Amino acid sequence: MPVTTDPAGAATAVAAPADRRTRSWLVVAVLVLGLALGVGAGLLIPRFTHPGDDSVEAGFLRDMSTHHAQAVEMSMLAHANSTNPRIVTLAGDIALTQHGQIGYMQAWLRDWGLSPTSSQEPMAWMPGSAGSVVNGLMPGMATPAQLAELRKATGNDLDVQFLTLMRAHHLGGIHMAQEIIQLSDDKDVTWLAQTMVSGQQSELGLIDSLLQQLQPK
């Protein structure tokens, strides 16, 4: 091992390890700070990127929650009062599915820090929706008079009324869901909307088949 008699060289040799240790601690500090900032950004960025109060996603979730709530109401009436096992099963399936989807939609609005309701008019989130809301009702929704008739109906009349109203309801809901799929880039919202489209299109086939069997020839 070479030995130096130069005081300056000796000082440099002693200082070098210390400098390296200092630099190492600085590197570690920078890495730790960078990691902390990265974690902080990871926690904060999702909040910044959540859909806002006037976003198409928030509008869709609010409107579809209301739309679904009526479907659940009609389905529970048919499930409780129909004597046709196929109607009872279909109504139960629709009520459970759409009630579950309302849960998703309301949870997302909560997570985004948004109100479940808005002062905006129904369908305001959808471009070109003027005229699609009639007397405050979104596409496919039953009127108060139709709901009153459904509550009083019995037997085959109940089944046909329920199927007819639900058919229109599904068509309106599918239209809304297809629109948000085109308008949104939120993967959760578009996934749920696609689930609605697939499920309700399948149910429409069954509804049409049942109507053909039950309606007077």
Side-chain angles (χ1 to χ4, degrees), residues 16-80:
D19 289 344
R20 284 195 294 272
R21 285 195 297 271
T22 300
R23 285 196 296 270
S24 297
W25 280 111
L26 286 172
V27 170
V28 171
V30 169
L31 290 174
V32 170
L33 179 60
L35 179 61
L37 290 173
V39 170
L43 293 174
L44 292 175
I45 286 173
R47 296 183 185 178
F48 295 150
T49 58
H50 282 164
D53 192 57
D54 60 351
S55 65
V56 294
E57 291 85 3
F60 170 75
L61 296 184
R62 288 163 174 156
D63 282 353
M64 190 58 84
S65 291
T66 300
H67 204 271
H68 270 25
Q70 189 184 79
V72 172
E73 179 185 0
M74 293 192 298
S75 296
M76 292 307 295
L77 286 169
H79 187 269

Side-chain angles (χ1 to χ4, degrees), residues 20 29 34 50 54 59 64 81 91 96 101 103-104 108 118 123 139 163 188 194 197 208 216:
R20 284 195 294 272
H50 282 164
D54 60 351
M64 190 58 84
N81 299 319
L96 288 172
Q101 290 172 347
Y104 276 113
W108 288 337
S118 170
M123 306 294 290
L163 293 172
D188 289 332
Q194 187 58 62
V197 171
D208 287 342

Side-chain angles (χ1 to χ4, degrees), residues 85-114:
R86 298 185 70 187
I87 300 294
V88 171
T89 299
L90 174 62
D93 288 345
I94 292 173
L96 288 172
T97 298
Q98 298 210 12
H99 186 270
Q101 290 172 347
I102 290 172
Y104 276 113
M105 294 187 285
Q106 293 298 299
W108 288 337
L109 288 169
R110 256 193 329 271
D111 290 345
W112 299 345
L114 303 179

